Amino acid sequence: MTEAPLEDTVVDVEVRSSERVFDGMVWGVRRDVFDYNGEDITREYLDHTGAVAIFALDDDGRVLLIKQYRHPVSMREWEIPAGLLDIVDEDPLVAAKRELAEEADIQAADWAVLSEFYTSPGGSDEAIRIYLARGLSAADGVFDRTHEEADMELRWVPFDDLVDAVLERKLQNPSLVVATLAAFAGRQRDWATLAPADSPWPRHPKLRSSGD
């Protein structure tokens, strides 16, 4: 007997009611009542716009990292450039290019999809797409940075040193961890794991619900 492919599957359930019960500065909390196996279930979850992140790899095999304060965990974390999909109808690739320029004053000539993941599918609908960016150069302009971004630290880190730091659990940011391990595996396979930068993203809850 042949087993089904090893992949996540979308399930369409009947949502009886859905309301946003809290609106925050960036995202909110949604309460859904839905039918699952003949039973009405109520769940509350973070109603998130989704995000993109960029694993920027230069010609010398170094990865661009930024260090930024994250208040919920009281940590200055090493991360890869990233940003919210909070501009209506903005294409994810366009958002990634914008975020790389805004956070690091860098642009890239070569883009590909590296990985995608849900940050916490039991309590949030946040979906993140990670791009591999290569062919790097200075962006056309220098951007002003405020709030937690005002004192960001930038560092170019040798790829193998980054892999070691992730495996030694010295780095905790999920986008950074997922991107590093996906890129490590991709490099081992001569980047055959990459997808075109403009690939559809049907598993993103917001894009799926909008019909894109």
Side-chain angles (χ1 to χ4, degrees):
M1 179 177 176
T2 303
E3 292 185 300
L6 183 62
E7 62 180 354
D8 300 333
T9 55
V10 174
V11 178
D12 291 321
V13 299
E14 180 183 353
V15 179
R16 303 198 187 280
S17 65
S18 181
E19 60 177 328
R20 194 168 166 113
V21 296
F22 173 77
D23 283 309
M25 292 182 62
V26 180
W27 45 72
V29 175
R30 182 168 294 278
R31 178 183 296 130
D32 285 355
V33 179
F34 59 95
D35 173 77
Y36 190 71
N37 291 334
E39 178 185 5
D40 279 0
I41 299 174
T42 301
R43 291 290 182 267
E44 295 169 344
Y45 57 93
L46 192 68
D47 190 4
H48 198 284
T49 63
V52 290
I54 305 97
F55 192 85
L57 183 64
D58 73 5
D59 293 339
D60 295 321
R62 301 178 304 168
V63 181
L64 174 64
L65 301 185
I66 59 176
K67 196 172 193 179
Q68 184 173 349
Y69 175 65
R70 295 301 187 185
H71 184 70
V73 292
S74 300
M75 295 282 290
R76 281 179 55 82
E77 282 195 325
W78 283 110
E79 307 177 356
I80 55 177
L84 299 173
L85 292 170
D86 55 357
I87 297 178
V88 176
D89 295 329
E90 184 177 37
D91 182 83
L93 178 57
V94 173
K97 292 179 178 180
R98 174 176 54 79
E99 291 294 344
L100 182 60
E102 290 180 356
E103 292 199 343
D105 302 322
I106 296 292
Q107 60 187 1
D110 182 15
W111 292 82
V113 174
L114 177 63
S115 188
E116 297 165 349
F117 71 103
Y118 299 118
T119 56
S120 183
S124 171
D125 67 354
E126 181 183 14
I128 296 182
R129 169 171 276 189
I130 304 172
Y131 292 90
L132 175 66
R134 292 176 288 185
L136 307 179
S137 62
D140 294 334
V142 176
F143 290 83
D144 292 329
R145 300 180 180 92
T146 60
H147 303 298
E148 293 96 335
E149 295 181 351
D151 63 349
M152 284 196 311
E153 179 182 346
L154 274 65
R155 182 184 297 183
W156 291 95
V157 178
F159 191 178
D160 290 335
D161 291 353
L162 178 59
V163 172
D164 289 342
V166 167
L167 294 178
E168 292 167 5
R169 297 170 299 283
K170 295 178 178 178
L171 304 175
Q172 301 290 311
N173 180 266
S175 294
L176 172 61
V177 171
V178 170
T180 300
L181 298 181
F184 179 76
R187 185 181 63 175
Q188 296 292 99
R189 302 180 185 192
D190 198 25
W191 301 113
T193 58
L194 301 177
D198 59 355
S199 298
W201 193 359
R203 293 184 180 181
H204 189 300
K206 299 297 191 296
L207 299 182
R208 185 173 71 241
S209 63
S210 68
D212 293 346

